[in-house]
Amino acid sequence: MSPDKAEGVQSVARALRLLRCLSQHDDGLRVSDLARLSGLAVSTTHRLLTTLELQGFAQFDSASALWHVGREAFAVGAAFGRRQNFVVPALPFLRRLRDTTRETANLGILDNDELVTISQVESREIMRAISPPGGRVPAFCSGMGKAILATWKDADIAAFVARTGLHPMTAHSHRDVDSAMQDIARIRRQGYALDDEEHVTGLRCLAAVVWSPQGEAACAISISGLAARLPDDKLDRTGRIVARAAQDLTETLGGVPPSQP
């Protein structure tokens, strides 16, 4: 690779690194903060941000001196959602889940061993649980991630844990394979998964898998809310509501639930 080409590739990689940083901070970031988070010089950071701004991928607020993700970044990201042929059909089911449970409804997939939220319908409650679309969570710290993993064979799950680790995020997260597999067995019996404050302390999530026409786990849907609004005595009833919504979406997609692994 020629020096000019290598420098161009490096600039693209650095610009994408800045976009990832911006996507994780909805309130915006100063140039100095972006430089620190990305490990780049302030001058390099400013030059790349200016280029991204000219192309519409970054936006500068002169009043606050903060940088934000630009409209073109949203447009490009939305194209990924459109390519997933279950995103648009899922929206009515997510809205219905939100209205029935009064909590935030989510749609997610496994990508590069992590759970990624790709669509969401926010709760109308003042205090609500939101993990923005595009956010990534270790699979075993996510209700949707565990719902999808529960469709795998035990040997494949064990290999997944051996390869990726569990990455606990709170005091409630799984820290050993035995605990994780007991949870998987419970998910298979119940038909839905519970994130019991394993991602964020004080938040609970109930999730169920959606099947593709090929009999594979296409995605998962969930509701997430404050643990105080999802006490133990509401979990099973709410979990069944989520499981029913996942089943209805599966039928809409022409999905085929196989026998349990």
Side-chain angles (χ1 to χ4, degrees):
M1 185 182 294
S2 67
D4 288 345
K5 186 175 291 186
E7 183 178 350
V9 170
Q10 185 182 57
S11 293
V12 171
R14 287 173 169 176
L16 292 174
R17 196 187 314 169
L18 291 176
L19 273 178
R20 289 193 188 97
C21 289
L22 287 174
S23 72
Q24 295 165 5
H25 295 81
D26 293 343
D27 294 333
L29 290 166
R30 295 181 181 275
V31 172
S32 56
D33 295 326
L34 273 164
R36 175 177 52 81
L37 290 169
S38 64
L40 300 175
V42 172
S43 58
T44 301
T45 300
H46 188 267
R47 174 174 57 81
L48 291 172
L49 285 171
T50 301
T51 302
L52 289 170
E53 183 183 28
L54 288 172
Q55 299 299 320
F57 284 87
Q59 187 175 40
F60 181 65
D61 183 349
S62 58
S64 62
L66 295 175
W67 287 89
H68 301 267
V69 170
R71 63 186 181 281
E72 288 300 320
F74 172 79
V76 170
F80 174 81
R82 291 194 300 272
R83 188 168 58 86
Q84 307 298 318
N85 59 9
F86 45 78
V87 173
V88 173
L91 282 173
F93 298 92
L94 295 180
R95 293 189 186 105
R96 191 184 310 160
L97 262 182
R98 185 270 314 276
D99 294 341
T100 301
T101 65
R102 303 177 64 86
E103 303 295 352
T104 297
N106 313 282
L107 177 75
I109 61 171
L110 274 184
D111 179 65
N112 289 331
D113 299 332
E114 294 178 305
L115 191 286
V116 181
T117 301
I118 61 173
S119 186
Q120 185 177 78
V121 177
E122 292 185 20
S123 168
R124 295 191 177 99
E125 299 292 326
I126 295 175
M127 296 294 292
R128 57 189 184 271
I130 298 177
S131 178
R136 290 179 171 269
V137 182
F140 263 107
C141 294
S142 159
M144 290 190 288
K146 292 191 294 183
I148 294 173
L149 288 175
T151 69
W152 295 11
K153 295 179 179 179
D154 287 356
D156 293 335
I157 298 173
F160 174 86
V161 174
R163 183 179 74 252
T164 67
L166 291 170
H167 304 288
M169 298 184 72
T170 74
H172 299 271
S173 304
H174 292 297
R175 284 171 165 74
D176 60 78
V177 176
D178 289 343
S179 169
M181 294 308 298
Q182 288 172 13
D183 197 1
I184 290 294
R186 186 162 48 247
I187 293 166
R188 291 170 178 165
R189 288 195 306 270
Q190 295 176 157
Y192 61 85
L194 169 66
D195 159 13
D196 194 4
E197 304 185 58
E198 297 157 53
H199 175 209
V200 177
T201 301
L203 299 181
R204 277 177 157 174
C205 172
L206 290 153
V209 73
V210 175
W211 298 96
S212 73
Q214 293 74 37
E216 299 176 343
C219 58
I221 60 177
S222 73
I223 62 99
S224 49
L226 300 180
R229 285 206 303 267
L230 292 170
D232 291 349
D233 61 359
K234 283 185 62 176
L235 291 180
D236 188 60
R237 178 168 58 86
T238 308
R240 291 178 185 277
I241 291 172
V242 175
R244 180 66 210 188
Q247 181 180 335
D248 291 344
L249 178 54
T250 293
E251 292 173 358
T252 296
L253 297 175
V256 182
S259 58
Q260 289 286 5

